[in-house]
Amino acid sequence: MDFAAQPKPAAALCGGVGGAADGKIAYPPGVKEITDKITTDEMIKRLKMVVKTFMDMDQDSEDEKQQYLPLALHLASEFFLRNPNKDVRLLVACCLADIFRIYAPEAPYTSHDKLKDIFLFITRQLKGLEDTKSPQFNRYFYLLENLAWVKSYNICFELEDCNEIFIQLFRTLFSVINNSHNKKVQMHMLDLMSSIIMEGDGVTQELLDSILINLIPAHKNLNKQSFDLAKGLLKRTVQTIEACIANFFNQVLVLGKSSVSDLSEHIFDLIQELFAIDPHLLLSVMPQLEFKLKSNDGEERLAVVRLLAKLFGSKDSDLATQNRPLWQCFLGRALNEMWKCQNMLRSHVRELLDLHKQPTSETNCSAMFGKLMTIAKNLPDPGKAQDFVKKFNQVLGDDEKLRSQLELLISPTCSCKQADVCVREIARKLANPKQPTNPFLEMVKFLLERIAPVHIDSEAISALVKLMNKSIEGTADDEEEGVSPDTAIRSGLELLKVLSFTHPTSFHSAETYESLLQCLRMEDDKVAEAAIQIFRNTGHKIETDLPQIRSTLIPILHQKAKRGTPHQAKQAVHCIHAIFTNKEVQLAQIFEPLSRSLNADVPEQLITPLVSLGHISMLAPDQFASPMKSVVANFIVKDLLMNDRSTGEKNGKLWSPDEEVSPEVLAKVQAIKLLVRWLLGMKNNQSKSANSTLRLLSAMLVSEGDLTEQKRISKSDMSRLRLAAGSAIMKLAQEPCYHEIITPEQFQLCALVINDECYQVRQIFAQKLHKALVKLLLPLEYMAIFALCAKDPVKERRAHARQCLLKNISIRREYIKQNPMATEKLLSLLPEYVVPYMIHLLAHDPDFTRSQDVDQLRDIKECLWFMLEVLMTKNENNSHAFMKKMAENIKLTKDAQSPDESKTNEKLYTVCDVALCVINSKSALCNADSPKDPVLPMKFFTQPEKDFCNDKSYISEETRVLLLTGKPKPAGVLGAVNKPLSAAGRKPCVRSTGAETGSNINVNSELNPPTGNRSREPSSEAAETGVSENEENPVRIISVIPAKNIDPVKNKEINSDQATQGNISSDRGKKRTVTAAGAENIQQKTDEEVDESGPPAPSKPKRGRRPKSESQGNATKTDDVSKPLGKGRKRAAGSQEGPGGLEAGNAKAPKLQDGAKKAAPAERQIDLQSLKLLRKHSLNTDLADFKCGIVQARWLLMACM
């Protein structure tokens, strides 16, 4: 047999002792040649002698090392590494381990592939450690001891794919450890693994998973020894591995990337175990839990509260003293969650008792079973609790007195003392003296403790109110407690406000309400607002039981509705509507004087009246919808929204704090909200007012927030109005009668707000979208909007969107499972049905202008995968094939938005092909038969024509490969600015790296080339400092170092690996806008400096809408580029950057040079498709009217009412 030749070091080939000089293999004395010609038994005999020789050698035996070098190479041949006999493999492994010891620090094997094969071979042999009774166990132990002592695996650090070896080693050791091993075995395992962790460059997620998986309860119960081994390893490497653990939890908890690890669903179990092992492992994780305590997701908050309760309550835990902010946040949230859970469970028990009062029937039994399962879910160990709850329900059915006791316990008037008596009485009836330990009784006690009012009753509320009265009167010891009286009053009222939601009947006393009236008269706006909220929640019997309180309260509420703060006005109107029987009279006394006194010339006095009028018209539409129409037509639209009375501050900021927003813009925002509330109150479109309002809101988005186009409004104010308009359309879509009349173009305008250039607009809009979707208030197509978040430049925003998608999809699937009747509404509930809406939305993406442009198709693919990745996590009911079938079926239809336009249909089919390409590449299960034929929404797609077959492929094979290879793009992901829009209204965004959280700096130049074939210019190097997402105005600070004399043609592309080195920052190969240090939400102006070496390549324009700038008009005055076009948009050429760094003080960017301006095409053109939409509502208006921005806007609004 010919053995595979090994590369030999020079020493081995230049001569030596014992036959090594001629390259022959020298064996130890008495050992004959080891080849495949001998029997296995003989081979084992000879190998044992070789093992003995290598065992006796030390590192100082230079002659022997040189003599046996050919033998060392021979033992690493494939013949030995793949030998079928396990004893041969074990002996060879022992030899190899000694060879690494003898020849340390250099290994005799120079091939990286050979080294990898050797260590994977040795790792496989370590599986023999599992059987301690094996006659070969001592030799396996010697192998382990040798490897651990020499740290042989550290050689693998030089290999590119060393992680594969380490993962295999760790998994092997954790799988073989068992209770028959002594401490020495565990010690050597720890030595071996800890050296890899502590001396390596870092721990990959997969390697970390191989350790953490042993902490999960299911694994921990199966193999206690593997848990102990993982525990010991983490304790030993705590300082090194803590950063890796923190990164893992940050990815899952903060960024929502559950796909980074299969252990993401066990995140809270892992935190509990790691805290028990060593709290120092979680030093950076605890602040992330505080972030989760403030989550909008109730289930998530509850899970964190339960976790922290265990951590704070664990033996010898000093977490409360070490992390005071987390402790305080936990206390506040724990009380809230406890009361919410108690109220929820009390309502379930109340509904169960109501079912017992009804006649027995199949429907009643089914409803009762569902209610029992729900109650069991709220108890420890729901699986076991189900049987106990069923038994308890049977006892309730047979014992009327027991039902009476339970009804008293959940009664709103039950005091803490009465609750104690009821619990004792029920427990006494269920107790069995003959059964000392009664699991059934323990479960019932737990249920009773959960629903009994053992904390809060009327006496407790009265005591809290007395404490607050002392602070109001100045007799409390607030100063001694370290708080001011005002802070004590405000905090006390906030606590009472929370309790008013969960224990409203406990507030019903004259003394309590007198104290609240006193708070209403205080100057502190927050105190008064909280007091009104409490009256609203608890005052349902004031009118009948406490007339004196009523007579005092009414004038105060009237005053707050007319002249209070906006929040007070809202609460006052709702309070009147909730607690008084003559609400119509009361509301009319507010509506009439307010509607007559509206004056747009004094905007600061408009905000509160607009809030009150809006809520009045929403709460009492039958009485106020008609008179409100004249207010809307004559004042809201004509006088307020259609006029700019003041000039905004031209500071270039894209967002300003609330206190810096002009009163006129605040009034306009409230006017938009008033329109929405008025329509939501009517809930019909008989007067066509909703159509007019939707056209008004669309015009607001098209004009970028500057509806009059007089350029008097500031950039930050425009951002506020765009957000208000987009949110208003989304709010109207929650009402079915208005959702039906929202056109696809208006939906697309609304969707594009999530790609606005202003960070805060994107952030707030996404939060509103998520909040409505999780409550199932919005139609399914609005979930498709999240696909556009793949283009967001801020990593945290993309992560937030992904987390929202995960939550929405989970809620919809769970809802379908728990509601059998929901199957009739699958088209609006099944998450997979979002795919057609997403495809249609992306086909009308304003950046998607050329269906064969690879860069644009890569953007489309990125957006598709952003949604599909979450949908394809599970293949429930063959959903992969179902989604593929939907994409195929769309190709048999036409775009209902423009069925006769071939280019529009081609773009639609192209997006379908990209979707099919992605689905096919990511799932092998998509080729199965679809379980059902999907139904496509007729609003977006025509009915398929008979005999129509569309088997054409709209993307080439080369393009398909480019889309799937994931090569770095040569230009920024956010596409071009001034391209024809099929739906306008989006501000440009520029992709940033993961360290950023967003910057609202409006930049008119980038370093990206204009076409897909041009490379990213390495014309500057940027070093960036990230900021927190929660900052009011997050800023990226980048130092810019110009690179000179670079040929833009020769430098075709920067590899994504290279782009991350030095000071060049990149995100998945995308180029970012470079911003001057210190620039905070500043619109950059142009500079006229030019690089002497020649102008750089023109930049690729940014996504969506080009920000208007003062300098832009001057630079392009003679080119007729800045003239307003249809939809209030401007055409502008791509801008360039000069050679120098950007100045920190004024944040200037270089101007376009004449040559570059001539070369750049006019990119923004009038969108005929959208004009057709406007023409539908016109009164034979000439097309020329649309080209004049102000005339267009005025026409839209005059047609409104």
Side-chain angles (χ1 to χ4, degrees):
M1 176 179 178
D2 294 325
F3 295 101
Q6 287 287 327
K8 299 179 177 61
L13 302 177
C14 294
V17 246
D22 56 0
K24 292 183 179 180
I25 300 173
Y27 290 91
V31 180
K32 296 181 181 179
E33 187 178 13
I34 304 175
T35 69
D36 61 339
K37 308 296 183 184
I38 60 177
T39 64
T40 302
D41 289 342
E42 182 62 26
M43 186 180 299
I44 292 173
K45 179 181 177 183
R46 296 179 187 182
L47 282 172
K48 285 182 178 179
M49 297 175 70
V50 174
V51 168
K52 180 68 169 59
T53 300
F54 282 125
M55 285 178 64
D56 294 339
M57 286 177 60
D58 56 42
Q59 290 181 316
D60 298 330
S61 308
E62 294 298 332
D63 292 341
E64 289 181 304
K65 286 165 63 175
Q66 188 172 357
Q67 175 185 0
Y68 293 126
L69 183 57
L71 176 59
L73 299 174
H74 176 53
L75 289 171
S77 64
E78 290 296 306
F79 171 72
F80 292 112
L81 299 186
R82 300 190 182 279
N83 196 285
N85 186 277
K86 65 176 184 179
D87 290 335
V88 171
R89 295 196 303 270
L90 172 59
L91 292 168
V92 171
C94 291
C95 288
L96 292 172
D98 273 315
I99 288 169
F100 284 119
R101 172 182 60 81
I102 296 164
Y103 289 90
E106 300 296 332
Y109 313 105
T110 58
S111 166
H112 282 198
D113 290 339
K114 178 54 67 177
L115 277 171
K116 179 181 176 182
D117 289 344
I118 291 172
F119 278 102
L120 287 175
F121 166 77
I122 293 175
T123 301
R124 289 192 295 270
Q125 309 322 305
L126 290 173
K127 292 180 180 178
L129 287 165
E130 189 170 17
D131 185 7
T132 55
K133 295 181 180 179
S134 165
Q136 299 293 338
F137 178 77
N138 287 340
R139 204 174 291 277
Y140 284 113
F141 176 78
Y142 172 77
L143 175 62
L144 172 67
E145 184 182 43
N146 198 349
L147 293 169
W149 185 75
V150 181
K151 300 182 181 179
S152 303
Y153 275 86
N154 290 18
I155 298 172
C156 299
F157 290 140
E158 304 299 324
L159 307 182
E160 289 183 3
D161 47 0
C162 62
N163 197 51
E164 180 185 345
I165 300 170
F166 296 152
I167 291 169
Q168 193 62 43
L169 172 66
F170 278 47
R171 288 176 178 172
T172 299
L173 296 180
F174 281 118
S175 66
V176 300
I177 187 77
N178 57 65
N179 57 9
S180 62
H181 289 135
N182 58 29
K183 290 184 178 180
K184 285 187 177 181
V185 174
Q186 187 180 41
M187 181 188 69
H188 290 318
M189 288 182 176
L190 287 175
D191 290 342
L192 186 55
M193 291 190 288
S194 62
S195 67
I196 292 172
I197 292 175
M198 298 173 72
E199 298 180 28
D201 293 333
V203 178
T204 65
Q205 185 58 52
E206 200 172 357
L207 186 60
L208 182 62
D209 284 354
S210 68
I211 303 171
L212 297 183
I213 194 172
N214 300 284
L215 307 183
I216 295 172
H219 287 261
K220 177 181 176 181
N221 297 334
L222 285 174
N223 191 341
K224 178 67 165 56
Q225 285 68 38
S226 65
F227 169 79
D228 291 336
L229 183 62
K231 178 179 176 181
L233 179 61
L234 290 166
K235 278 191 170 184
R236 185 180 290 194
T237 61
V238 59
Q239 293 186 346
T240 305
I241 208 169
E242 187 269 333
C244 307
I245 291 174
N247 180 63
F248 165 52
F249 285 111
N250 182 65
Q251 294 282 316
V252 178
L253 290 175
V254 179
L255 302 183
K257 289 192 173 182
S258 57
S259 60
V260 299
S261 168
D262 293 336
L263 304 181
S264 298
E265 59 187 81
H266 304 285
I267 198 80
F268 295 130
D269 288 331
L270 289 174
I271 291 176
Q272 184 178 349
E273 293 293 346
L274 289 169
F275 184 81
I277 292 170
D278 191 333
H280 292 93
L281 289 166
L282 300 173
L283 284 177
S284 304
V285 177
M286 288 306 168
Q288 297 170 4
L289 291 179
E290 184 178 348
F291 165 78
K292 281 296 179 184
L293 276 175
K294 300 172 183 176
S295 168
N296 292 325
D297 186 338
E299 293 180 7
E300 191 173 60
R301 284 199 313 269
L302 187 57
V304 178
V305 167
R306 287 171 175 163
L307 169 68
L308 288 174
K310 295 174 183 176
L311 301 189
F312 284 121
S314 61
K315 186 179 179 181
D316 300 327
S317 172
D318 60 351
L319 181 60
T321 55
Q322 295 293 328
N323 201 321
R324 198 71 183 170
L326 180 63
W327 169 245
Q328 292 173 344
C329 187
F330 164 75
L331 285 180
R333 182 58 71 187
L335 287 173
N336 287 349
E337 295 298 336
M338 181 182 67
W339 289 326
K340 285 180 183 177
C341 292
Q342 184 185 61
N343 248 21
M344 178 185 65
L345 195 54
R346 284 166 66 93
S347 66
H348 290 319
V349 174
R350 186 178 295 110
E351 290 166 8
L352 178 65
L353 291 172
D354 290 341
L355 289 172
H356 274 285
K357 297 174 184 177
Q358 298 176 7
T360 303
S361 67
E362 186 176 345
T363 305
N364 183 273
C365 291
S366 176
M368 191 173 289
F369 177 79
K371 191 57 62 180
L372 292 173
M373 295 302 99
T374 304
I375 293 173
K377 285 182 180 178
N378 290 276
L379 299 174
D381 197 348
K384 293 181 180 178
Q386 288 180 8
D387 295 331
F388 293 140
V389 170
K390 289 178 186 176
K391 183 178 178 181
F392 182 54
N393 188 54
Q394 290 176 351
V395 176
L396 286 176
D398 298 335
D399 193 332
E400 186 177 351
K401 290 185 178 180
L402 195 64
R403 290 201 303 272
S404 300
Q405 292 283 353
L406 193 59
E407 283 188 351
L408 176 59
L409 185 64
I410 60 173
S411 167
T413 58
C414 182
S415 67
C416 294
K417 290 181 180 178
Q418 288 175 315
D420 182 55
V421 173
C422 287
V423 170
R424 291 176 184 274
E425 184 63 25
I426 294 172
R428 184 185 63 78
K429 286 188 176 183
L430 297 177
N432 186 352
K434 296 180 181 180
Q435 191 175 0
T437 57
N438 189 342
F440 167 66
L441 180 59
E442 292 302 316
M443 186 282 302
V444 173
K445 283 183 177 180
F446 189 89
L447 173 62
L448 297 177
E449 290 169 358
R450 291 288 298 272
I451 63 175
V454 294
H455 299 99
I456 302 296
D457 60 3
S458 298
E459 293 181 12
I461 296 296
S462 178
L464 287 171
V465 170
K466 288 177 181 177
L467 286 173
M468 189 179 66
N469 286 340
K470 289 184 177 180
S471 296
I472 294 173
E473 296 163 0
T475 58
D477 299 329
D478 296 326
E479 299 290 352
E480 295 179 8
E481 297 291 334
V483 295
S484 66
D486 290 343
T487 303
I489 295 168
R490 183 181 290 190
S491 300
L493 264 181
E494 283 299 316
L495 175 59
L496 289 171
K497 186 173 78 171
V498 171
L499 293 171
S500 71
F501 286 99
T502 55
H503 302 78
T505 56
S506 300
F507 284 78
H508 195 68
S509 72
E511 181 186 17
T512 298
Y513 288 135
E514 286 289 353
S515 298
L516 292 174
L517 287 173
Q518 199 171 351
C519 293
L520 280 176
R521 300 185 183 98
M522 296 179 67
E523 295 181 359
D524 191 320
D525 292 336
K526 290 290 184 182
V527 168
E529 182 188 332
I532 299 173
Q533 178 78 68
I534 295 171
F535 271 113
R536 174 186 170 184
N537 293 345
T538 67
H540 301 285
K541 294 184 178 180
I542 285 179
E543 193 167 37
T544 55
D545 297 353
L546 300 169
Q548 202 168 12
I549 299 294
R550 175 189 181 277
S551 59
T552 308
L553 178 61
I554 287 177
I556 297 177
L557 294 178
H558 281 229
Q559 187 269 336
K560 296 296 183 183
K562 294 174 183 176
R563 291 180 293 277
T565 66
H567 288 293
Q568 291 173 358
K570 172 187 173 180
Q571 294 298 339
V573 169
H574 280 268
C575 185
I576 291 171
H577 185 266
I579 69 177
F580 296 125
T581 54
N582 64 339
K583 61 190 74 173
E584 292 82 4
V585 176
Q586 301 289 343
L587 294 176
Q589 292 174 1
I590 299 172
F591 182 90
E592 291 171 5
L594 286 182
S595 60
R596 291 196 302 267
S597 62
L598 296 174
N599 184 357
D601 293 327
V602 193
E604 56 271 13
Q605 297 179 11
L606 267 180
I607 300 170
T608 293
L610 290 176
V611 171
S612 293
L613 291 173
H615 283 281
I616 288 172
S617 61
M618 181 176 68
L619 294 172
D622 295 340
Q623 185 179 359
F624 299 104
S626 182
M628 180 59 78
K629 185 172 183 179
S630 61
V631 174
V632 168
N634 298 325
F635 178 78
I636 299 296
V637 175
K638 184 179 178 181
D639 210 15
L640 181 57
L641 292 176
M642 282 306 302
N643 286 287
D644 292 333
R645 287 173 168 78
S646 60
T647 301
E649 186 179 353
K650 301 294 183 180
N651 57 11
K653 290 183 178 180
L654 293 177
W655 189 263
S656 298
D658 292 348
E659 59 272 12
E660 294 180 14
V661 181
S662 66
E664 182 179 5
V665 170
L666 290 176
K668 288 184 176 182
V669 169
Q670 289 301 330
I672 292 172
K673 291 183 177 180
L674 181 147
L675 289 173
V676 174
R677 289 166 184 152
W678 170 52
L679 292 173
L680 290 177
M682 289 192 297
K683 294 185 180 178
N684 69 72
N685 191 35
Q686 294 174 0
S687 63
K688 303 298 180 184
S689 298
N691 297 88
S692 304
T693 302
L694 285 168
R695 292 199 298 273
L696 164 66
L697 298 173
S698 300
M700 182 74 76
L701 290 173
V702 167
S703 62
E704 306 177 8
D706 186 5
L707 194 57
T708 66
E709 295 191 337
Q710 296 176 0
K711 299 182 181 178
R712 298 181 63 183
I713 188 170
S714 69
K715 288 285 182 182
S716 59
D717 288 345
M718 289 167 64
S719 295
R720 293 269 178 172
L721 292 171
R722 289 196 306 274
L723 174 61
S727 302
I729 294 176
M730 188 164 60
K731 192 74 174 178
L732 290 174
Q734 298 176 30
E735 187 59 47
C737 69
Y738 301 134
H739 167 242
E740 294 173 0
I741 64 172
I742 295 177
T743 66
E745 291 87 351
Q746 290 166 343
F747 166 67
Q748 289 151 17
L749 277 171
C750 176
L752 294 175
V753 177
I754 210 162
N755 280 153
D756 195 274
E757 71 170 338
C758 176
Y759 173 84
Q760 283 82 359
V761 172
R762 302 197 306 274
Q763 180 186 40
I764 298 170
F765 182 82
Q767 290 170 347
K768 289 177 180 287
L769 176 65
H770 174 61
K771 187 176 180 180
L773 281 170
V774 292
K775 294 180 179 179
L776 301 181
L777 297 176
L778 272 174
L780 184 61
E781 62 255 41
Y782 284 80
M783 192 163 76
I785 297 175
F786 278 122
L788 295 173
C789 291
K791 297 171 178 284
D792 199 292
V794 181
K795 184 177 181 180
E796 283 72 18
R797 295 260 46 83
R798 299 194 300 275
H800 173 264
R802 189 179 186 282
Q803 197 171 15
C804 292
L805 279 175
L806 284 166
K807 182 63 179 176
N808 274 288
I809 291 171
S810 173
I811 283 177
R812 289 175 181 272
R813 285 179 176 159
E814 189 64 26
Y815 181 84
I816 292 171
K817 288 178 183 177
Q818 293 185 359
N819 296 272
M821 300 300 291
T823 53
E824 300 175 3
K825 301 179 181 179
L826 284 182
L827 187 60
S828 60
L829 287 172
L830 193 66
E832 284 74 15
Y833 265 122
V834 77
V835 171
Y837 299 115
M838 172 177 62
I839 289 175
H840 190 275
L841 179 62
L842 294 175
H844 289 267
D845 189 319
D847 290 337
F848 186 36
T849 57
R850 297 188 298 276
S851 57
Q852 298 305 314
D853 186 288
V854 176
D855 287 343
Q856 294 182 16
L857 290 177
R858 195 182 276 112
D859 288 350
I860 294 294
K861 176 245 178 181
E862 196 168 320
C863 292
L864 286 166
W865 181 237
F866 192 80
M867 177 75 71
L868 290 173
E869 181 187 15
V870 184
L871 287 171
M872 295 175 69
T873 303
K874 297 179 181 178
N875 187 31
E876 291 189 2
N877 300 319
N878 209 7
S879 59
H880 294 182
F882 183 66
M883 289 187 284
K884 180 182 178 182
K885 182 70 173 174
M886 278 192 285
E888 291 172 341
N889 284 6
I890 292 173
K891 291 185 67 176
L892 303 177
T893 69
K894 291 184 178 180
D895 191 332
Q897 192 169 329
S898 305
D900 299 325
E901 292 189 11
S902 59
K903 184 179 179 182
T904 301
N905 287 315
E906 182 184 353
K907 287 164 62 179
L908 179 67
Y909 302 149
T910 303
V911 176
C912 286
D913 275 357
V914 176
L916 288 169
C917 176
V918 172
I919 294 172
N920 285 325
S921 68
K922 300 295 182 181
S923 172
L925 305 172
C926 66
N927 294 318
D929 292 334
S930 175
K932 50 184 174 291
D933 199 36
V935 181
L936 298 178
M938 296 176 60
K939 190 174 183 179
F940 295 91
F941 307 100
T942 64
Q943 287 291 331
E945 299 177 5
K946 289 184 179 180
D947 303 324
F948 177 67
C949 179
N950 185 4
D951 54 3
K952 176 183 175 181
S953 179
Y954 289 83
I955 54 175
S956 66
E957 188 59 36
E958 181 184 1
T959 301
R960 201 179 300 270
V961 172
L962 283 172
L963 292 177
L964 296 178
T965 53
K967 292 181 180 179
K969 288 186 56 179
V973 72
L974 288 181
V977 179
N978 298 318
K979 295 181 179 177
L981 293 181
S982 49
R986 171 162 27 184
K987 283 278 183 178
C989 298
V990 185
R991 183 175 290 282
S992 66
T993 64
E996 303 168 21
T997 58
S999 174
N1000 288 337
I1001 302 176
N1002 190 354
V1003 187
N1004 283 341
S1005 60
E1006 288 191 34
L1007 302 178
N1008 298 335
T1011 67
N1013 295 328
R1014 297 294 297 271
S1015 70
R1016 295 170 300 169
E1017 284 291 353
S1019 54
S1020 66
E1021 298 177 352
E1024 178 173 358
T1025 302
V1027 295
S1028 170
E1029 179 180 341
N1030 295 323
E1031 290 182 13
E1032 179 69 29
N1033 292 299
V1035 181
R1036 289 175 293 166
I1037 302 176
I1038 304 175
S1039 61
V1040 181
I1041 307 169
K1044 297 184 178 180
N1045 300 325
I1046 295 179
D1047 187 343
V1049 178
K1050 293 179 181 178
N1051 289 276
K1052 287 290 182 184
E1053 192 171 34
I1054 300 177
N1055 186 278
S1056 60
D1057 291 333
Q1058 295 172 330
T1060 58
Q1061 298 173 3
N1063 290 331
I1064 301 177
S1065 298
S1066 69
D1067 181 20
R1068 293 184 287 175
K1070 313 295 191 301
K1071 186 71 177 179
R1072 295 175 299 152
T1073 297
V1074 181
T1075 307
E1080 182 175 346
N1081 291 343
I1082 299 175
Q1083 177 182 0
Q1084 297 196 3
K1085 298 183 180 179
T1086 58
D1087 195 354
E1088 299 196 2
E1089 296 179 352
V1090 185
D1091 192 344
E1092 295 178 359
S1093 61
S1099 67
K1100 180 173 180 178
K1102 294 178 290 181
R1103 173 179 181 78
R1105 175 173 51 251
R1106 180 120 184 140
K1108 299 176 183 177
S1109 85
E1110 296 174 0
S1111 59
Q1112 182 185 25
N1114 298 330
T1116 60
K1117 185 179 290 186
T1118 60
D1119 296 337
D1120 196 30
V1121 173
S1122 61
K1123 291 182 181 178
L1125 296 175
K1127 307 182 114 181
R1129 297 194 172 272
K1130 292 188 175 183
R1131 289 182 293 176
S1135 56
Q1136 305 174 3
E1137 285 233 8
L1142 301 178
E1143 293 181 24
N1146 55 19
K1148 290 187 178 180
K1151 265 190 178 179
L1152 281 170
Q1153 297 304 309
D1154 291 339
K1157 284 190 288 186
K1158 291 177 183 177
E1163 295 169 341
R1164 175 70 72 217
Q1165 299 174 0
I1166 195 159
D1167 185 356
L1168 296 178
Q1169 181 177 334
S1170 295
L1171 287 177
K1172 287 180 182 178
L1173 166 68
L1174 297 176
R1175 190 178 295 139
K1176 291 179 186 178
H1177 309 290
S1178 69
L1179 302 173
N1180 298 321
T1181 308
D1182 193 283
L1183 181 62
D1185 290 339
F1186 292 103
K1187 294 184 179 179
C1188 182
I1190 183 61
V1191 175
Q1192 171 202 358
R1194 286 189 181 279
W1195 170 82
L1196 279 170
L1197 295 172
M1198 292 302 291
C1200 277
M1201 309 300 164

